Amino acid sequence: MIMHSDSASFPPTIVDALRAHLADRPDKILYRFLDAGHDEQTLSFIELHRDAGKIGAHLRAHSGPAPAVALLLYPPGLEFIRAFLGCLYAGVIAVPVHLPGSRQENWQRLGKIAMDSGAHFVLTNGAHRDAVDRWLHGASELKLMPVDTTALRLDDEAAPSLQIEPAASQALAFLQYTSGSTGDPKGVMVSHANLMHNQALMQRRFGHDETAVVAGWLPQYHDMGLIGNIMQPLYLGATAALMSPNTF
């Protein structure tokens, strides 16, 4: 990531960008996700704002005064995006990671990331909660709190609202880890300023605007999958058509 040089040219954080789009395009579809059967799920700007706020409220209620860190363990899909924005809404440092399958060494690699990042939470969905619980049962030294975001009743209008506090541009937005396939995973600290400068640079180089439709199938924990396919449409007020790598 490249540090920004002119913070006045774009919103200070991606949360500010999302909230700015709510004024003139709340019901516009931001994300379309196609599964292997070509069924489509959608998420509008206002729906993402609402769901991220509810996830963020839960995280804030269970966090201490210091910035908390959360591992995001999701299959490809909109649940990951809700959780990632929920972390940013709450001031929690997100750690997007690959959801391990049955191979034990992948779960061991995940444990190294959890230790290195100082994670407090592991966020997942209902379909993978049992696998996460089994991992945590065998790795009690991690002392992670599991959060099943699908159980937070995102459709509950009475769920607590979140008072969003402005984030400093130099504050950490998320940690991005290498795969660890040739050694221990190594993390890169990405600030809000890093992220927003990268978004502005992509917009200028590609000539993107709010009419763009971004199509992508790269992993959501991958730099280009997250920064280009997921964050760039949000930054622009545009639309993304997403699918998993296997579906592609």
Side-chain angles (χ1 to χ4, degrees):
M1 294 296 174
I2 305 171
M3 287 299 295
H4 70 95
S5 58
D6 181 12
S7 61
S9 62
F10 45 82
T13 73
I14 202 72
V15 170
D16 294 307
L18 173 56
R19 296 176 72 190
H21 292 315
L22 293 176
D24 56 0
R25 65 199 78 196
D27 298 317
K28 180 179 179 178
I29 297 301
L30 172 54
Y31 298 113
R32 300 180 184 276
F33 188 83
L34 303 175
D35 64 19
H38 303 292
D39 293 326
E40 180 184 82
Q41 301 174 35
T42 63
L43 194 60
S44 68
F45 284 88
I46 190 65
E47 289 170 336
L48 177 57
H49 171 70
R50 177 202 66 198
D51 295 348
K54 292 175 181 178
I55 293 171
H58 180 87
L59 295 176
R60 180 80 61 75
H62 294 84
S63 299
V69 179
L71 301 179
L72 274 57
L73 281 176
Y74 291 90
L78 300 182
E79 288 178 300
F80 166 83
I81 299 174
R82 292 185 179 98
F84 185 83
L85 265 294
C87 288
L88 298 188
Y89 268 42
V92 170
I93 300 168
V95 185
V97 287
H98 171 64
L99 177 65
S102 58
R103 297 179 61 180
Q104 187 61 30
E105 60 265 33
N106 290 339
W107 287 100
Q108 292 171 349
R109 187 177 298 128
L110 180 62
K112 292 179 180 179
I113 293 175
M115 292 290 291
D116 184 72
S117 66
H120 304 84
F121 300 100
V122 53
L123 275 56
T124 189
N125 62 5
H128 296 87
R129 175 63 188 267
D130 287 347
V132 169
D133 283 343
R134 287 194 297 271
W135 170 56
L136 293 178
H137 181 74
S140 58
E141 72 280 1
L142 296 177
K143 296 181 172 57
L144 284 168
M145 177 185 293
V147 178
D148 177 0
T149 54
T150 56
L152 296 182
R153 296 181 60 83
L154 298 181
D155 59 348
D156 184 359
E157 296 299 329
S161 59
L162 176 70
Q163 184 66 37
I164 300 173
E165 299 175 1
S169 63
Q170 299 302 326
L172 288 184
F174 65 100
L175 300 174
Q176 192 155 40
Y177 275 83
T178 61
S179 65
S181 57
T182 59
D184 288 345
K186 298 176 178 62
V188 175
M189 298 184 292
V190 182
S191 71
H192 289 283
N194 295 148
L195 176 60
M196 296 306 285
H197 175 72
N198 203 230
Q199 294 303 314
L201 185 63
M202 283 192 291
Q203 180 184 21
R204 291 198 302 269
R205 296 297 186 184
F206 288 102
H208 289 157
D209 61 23
E210 70 277 4
T211 66
V213 177
V214 176
W217 51 87
L218 291 171
Q220 57 205 9
Y221 55 86
H222 185 278
D223 179 69
M224 291 178 64
L226 176 61
I227 306 302
N229 295 343
I230 295 177
M231 290 293 103
Q232 176 75 167
L234 193 163
Y235 173 84
L236 297 168
T239 297
L242 304 172
M243 65 186 76
S244 76
N246 287 341
T247 298
F248 176 76

